[in-house]
Amino acid sequence: MIEQAEVLDALRNKILTDPEVILEDQDLMRALIDANERSLGGNIVDLRGIAMERLESRLDRLEDTHRSVIAAAYENLAGTNLIHGAILKVLEPTDFPAFLTSLSGDLLESLRVSRLRLILESKEHDSPSIGFEDVLSIVEPGVVDHYITAGRDIPVRPVSLRQVSPASEDVYGDNAAYIKSEALLRLDLGEGRLPGLLVMGSEDPHQFRPNQGTDLLTFFGSAFERAIKRWLA
């Protein structure tokens, strides 16, 4: 009994000198509150206990919100860095063949997509794309907007994101079966020129969704337009 009394005295002194030991321990505080409620009896409402429960609930919600905000900030930063890196790849080629080659190489890897395809409208849509059929298509006027809208009477936006099933074989060829989502960047190639389209295809059905923001891809599309104008006659 003497030893137990000494332990209790030591514990009491520790608590009196450092009360944060208990206050910062949620499990211990909850046990003390429960014990206090039991001592009050079933017919007495402990307003302090109710208030603390509500505060704990609010704290949990704030912590969840904090985690969500931090995660979103890291995701936005990662997306910005990815687009900046891709723009640098767009600026590297010194001729048009090297520019097209990057669509299946460095630029493809930088954007972390499964397939890139450049579609250019031309009144002479039989123009050859010898050696670059995997990344370049020459099509007749009107094809770009028709592909973006899927033939519907809706506004044509600079960037469109969507999930596809099945994907177009005209765009993706033999890889169409693997493409589950795509980003469409409409290219304004300047006054007097027909539009173009940069298609990004992904095997991940969640990489491009209509409810996602398009600011970074719009910025990338603008940089891509300026780069490709260097090579167009």
Side-chain angles (χ1 to χ4, degrees):
M1 294 295 293
I2 296 177
E3 291 182 0
Q4 184 176 359
E6 291 176 351
V7 170
L8 291 175
D9 286 341
L11 180 59
R12 181 175 182 276
N13 291 332
K14 174 62 176 177
I15 293 172
L16 290 174
T17 56
D18 190 12
E20 287 80 5
V21 171
I22 291 182
L23 294 175
E24 294 178 356
D25 190 319
Q26 291 187 6
D27 293 335
L28 186 55
M29 285 296 296
R30 190 175 290 109
L32 292 174
I33 292 170
D34 290 343
N36 180 57
E37 289 177 350
R38 287 193 297 271
S39 68
L40 291 174
N43 296 324
I44 298 177
V45 177
D46 184 4
L47 296 179
R48 183 178 60 181
I50 294 174
M52 290 195 67
E53 288 181 1
R54 289 179 178 176
L55 285 173
E56 286 184 357
S57 178
R58 290 182 61 187
L59 179 60
D60 289 340
R61 291 197 299 270
L62 285 172
E63 288 180 345
D64 290 341
T65 301
H66 180 69
R67 293 190 191 98
S68 298
V69 170
I70 295 297
Y74 276 116
E75 185 177 347
N76 289 337
L77 179 60
T80 300
N81 290 338
L82 185 147
I83 292 299
H84 286 173
I87 289 174
L88 292 177
K89 295 298 181 183
V90 167
L91 299 176
E92 285 180 1
T94 56
D95 55 54
F96 194 51
F99 183 82
L100 292 177
T101 299
S102 71
L103 297 182
S104 59
D106 292 344
L107 185 57
L108 185 74
E109 295 177 2
S110 293
L111 290 169
R112 298 177 186 173
V113 294
S114 305
R115 189 78 187 274
L116 283 175
R117 192 165 188 87
L118 177 62
I119 299 174
L120 299 177
E121 289 187 357
S122 173
K123 294 178 181 178
E124 300 176 1
H125 59 276
D126 293 331
S127 301
S129 54
I130 298 175
F132 299 102
E133 291 83 1
D134 288 343
V135 295
L136 176 63
S137 292
I138 308 297
V139 299
E140 62 185 8
V143 168
V144 166
D145 288 352
H146 186 272
Y147 186 74
I148 293 174
T149 64
R152 296 173 294 169
D153 184 17
I154 58 176
V156 178
R157 294 174 294 181
V159 176
S160 298
L161 309 178
R162 64 191 183 194
Q163 294 167 309
V164 289
S165 182
S168 171
E169 292 186 3
D170 291 337
V171 174
Y172 299 105
D174 295 338
N175 296 311
Y178 306 105
I179 302 300
K180 302 302 179 183
S181 65
E182 63 183 5
L184 310 177
L185 280 61
R186 190 180 191 275
L187 306 175
D188 182 356
L189 302 178
E191 186 177 353
R193 289 174 175 166
L194 293 170
L197 180 67
L198 179 64
V199 181
M200 302 180 184
S202 174
E203 296 180 16
D204 181 358
H206 303 293
Q207 183 163 353
F208 300 118
R209 302 190 308 273
N211 62 345
Q212 293 174 324
T214 59
D215 290 350
L216 287 175
L217 286 177
T218 299
F219 178 61
F220 176 77
S222 297
F224 193 90
E225 286 173 349
R226 286 163 173 74
I228 197 174
K229 285 177 184 177
R230 294 180 296 170
W231 317 119
L232 298 180

